[in-house]
Coordinates of all heavy atoms in Angstrom, one line a residue:
Chain B
R469 N 138.1 72.0 136.1 CA 139.1 73.0 135.7 C 139.4 73.9 136.9 O 138.4 74.2 137.7 CB 138.8 73.7 134.5 CG 138.4 72.8 133.3 CD 138.3 73.6 132.1 NE 137.7 72.8 131.0 CZ 136.5 72.9 130.5 NH1 135.7 73.9 130.9 NH2 136.1 72.1 129.6
P470 N 140.5 74.5 137.0 CA 140.8 75.3 138.1 C 139.8 76.5 138.3 O 139.5 76.8 139.5 CB 142.2 75.9 137.8 CG 142.8 74.9 136.9 CD 141.7 74.3 136.1
D471 N 139.4 77.1 137.2 CA 138.5 78.2 137.4 C 137.0 77.9 137.5 O 136.1 78.7 137.5 CB 138.7 79.2 136.3 CG 138.6 78.6 134.9 OD1 138.4 77.4 134.9 OD2 138.8 79.3 133.9
D472 N 136.7 76.6 137.6 CA 135.3 76.1 137.6 C 134.6 76.7 138.8 O 133.4 77.1 138.7 CB 135.2 74.6 137.7 CG 135.3 74.0 136.2 OD1 135.1 74.8 135.3 OD2 135.4 72.8 136.1
L473 N 135.2 76.8 140.0 CA 134.5 77.2 141.2 C 134.1 78.7 141.1 O 133.0 79.1 141.4 CB 135.3 77.0 142.4 CG 135.6 75.5 142.8 CD1 136.4 75.4 144.1 CD2 134.3 74.8 142.9
E474 N 135.0 79.4 140.5 CA 134.7 80.9 140.2 C 133.6 81.0 139.2 O 132.7 81.8 139.3 CB 135.9 81.5 139.6 CG 136.4 82.7 140.4 CD 137.8 83.1 139.9 OE1 137.8 83.8 138.8 OE2 138.8 82.6 140.4
L475 N 133.6 80.1 138.2 CA 132.6 80.1 137.2 C 131.2 79.8 137.8 O 130.2 80.5 137.5 CB 132.9 79.1 136.1 CG 132.0 79.1 134.8 CD1 131.9 80.5 134.2 CD2 132.6 78.1 133.8
L476 N 131.2 78.8 138.7 CA 130.0 78.4 139.3 C 129.4 79.6 140.1 O 128.2 79.9 140.0 CB 130.2 77.2 140.3 CG 130.4 75.9 139.7 CD1 130.7 74.9 140.8 CD2 129.1 75.4 139.0
D477 N 130.3 80.3 140.8 CA 129.9 81.4 141.6 C 129.3 82.5 140.7 O 128.2 83.1 141.0 CB 131.1 81.9 142.3 CG 130.7 82.7 143.5 OD1 129.7 82.3 144.2 OD2 131.3 83.8 143.8
S478 N 130.0 82.8 139.6 CA 129.5 83.8 138.7 C 128.2 83.5 138.0 O 127.3 84.3 137.9 CB 130.6 84.0 137.6 OG 130.1 84.7 136.5
I479 N 128.0 82.2 137.6 CA 126.8 81.8 137.0 C 125.6 82.0 138.0 O 124.6 82.5 137.7 CB 126.8 80.3 136.5 CG1 127.8 80.2 135.4 CG2 125.5 79.9 136.0 CD1 128.2 78.7 135.0
G480 N 125.9 81.6 139.3 CA 124.9 81.7 140.3 C 124.5 83.1 140.5 O 123.3 83.4 140.6
N481 N 125.5 84.0 140.5 CA 125.1 85.5 140.6 C 124.3 86.0 139.5 O 123.4 86.9 139.7 CB 126.4 86.3 140.7 CG 127.1 86.1 142.0 OD1 126.5 85.6 143.0 ND2 128.4 86.4 142.0
Q482 N 124.5 85.4 138.3 CA 123.7 85.8 137.1 C 122.3 85.2 137.2 O 121.5 85.6 136.4 CB 124.4 85.4 135.8 CG 125.6 86.3 135.5 CD 126.4 85.9 134.3 OE1 127.4 86.3 134.1 NE2 125.8 85.0 133.5
M483 N 122.1 84.2 138.0 CA 120.7 83.6 138.1 C 119.8 84.2 139.2 O 118.7 84.3 139.0 CB 120.9 82.1 138.3 CG 121.5 81.3 137.1 SD 121.9 79.7 137.6 CE 120.4 78.9 138.0
T484 N 120.4 84.4 140.3 CA 119.6 84.8 141.5 C 119.0 86.2 141.3 O 119.6 87.1 140.9 CB 120.4 84.7 142.8 OG1 121.6 85.5 142.6 CG2 120.7 83.3 143.2
G485 N 117.7 86.2 141.6 CA 117.0 87.5 141.5 C 116.7 87.9 140.1 O 116.3 89.1 139.9
R486 N 116.9 87.1 139.2 CA 116.7 87.5 137.8 C 115.5 86.7 137.1 O 115.4 86.7 135.9 CB 117.9 87.2 137.0 CG 119.2 87.7 137.6 CD 119.4 89.2 137.4 NE 120.3 89.7 138.3 CZ 121.7 89.8 138.1 NH1 122.2 89.3 137.0 NH2 122.4 90.4 139.0
T487 N 114.7 86.0 137.9 CA 113.7 85.1 137.3 C 112.4 85.4 137.9 O 112.2 86.1 138.9 CB 114.1 83.6 137.5 OG1 114.4 83.4 138.9 CG2 115.3 83.3 136.7
I488 N 111.4 84.7 137.3 CA 110.0 84.9 137.7 C 109.8 84.3 139.1 O 109.2 84.9 140.0 CB 109.0 84.4 136.7 CG1 109.0 85.3 135.5 CG2 107.6 84.3 137.3 CD1 108.1 84.8 134.3
C489 N 110.2 83.0 139.3 CA 110.0 82.4 140.5 C 111.3 82.1 141.2 O 112.3 82.6 140.8 CB 109.2 81.1 140.3 SG 110.2 79.7 139.7
A490 N 111.2 81.3 142.3 CA 112.4 81.2 143.2 C 113.2 79.9 142.8 O 114.1 79.6 143.6 CB 112.0 81.2 144.6
L491 N 112.9 79.2 141.7 CA 113.6 78.0 141.5 C 115.1 78.3 141.2 O 115.9 77.5 141.5 CB 112.9 77.2 140.3 CG 113.5 75.8 140.2 CD1 112.3 74.8 139.9 CD2 114.5 75.6 139.1
A492 N 115.4 79.4 140.5 CA 116.8 79.7 140.3 C 117.5 79.8 141.6 O 118.6 79.3 141.7 CB 116.9 81.0 139.4
E493 N 117.0 80.5 142.5 CA 117.6 80.6 143.9 C 117.8 79.2 144.5 O 118.8 78.9 145.0 CB 116.8 81.5 144.8 CG 117.0 83.0 144.7 CD 116.1 83.6 143.7 OE1 115.5 82.9 142.9 OE2 116.1 84.9 143.6
A494 N 116.7 78.4 144.4 CA 116.7 77.1 145.0 C 117.9 76.3 144.4 O 118.5 75.5 145.1 CB 115.4 76.4 144.7
A495 N 118.2 76.5 143.1 CA 119.2 75.8 142.5 C 120.6 76.3 142.9 O 121.6 75.6 142.9 CB 119.1 75.8 140.9

Side-chain angles (χ1 to χ4, degrees):
Chain B
R469 305 190 190 111
D471 51 1
D472 274 349
L473 293 182
E474 237 170 83
L475 186 55
L476 285 176
D477 203 40
S478 161
I479 296 169
N481 288 340
Q482 286 176 192
M483 289 168 67
T484 49
R486 311 281 161 89
T487 52
I488 288 176
C489 79
L491 192 136
E493 275 90 348

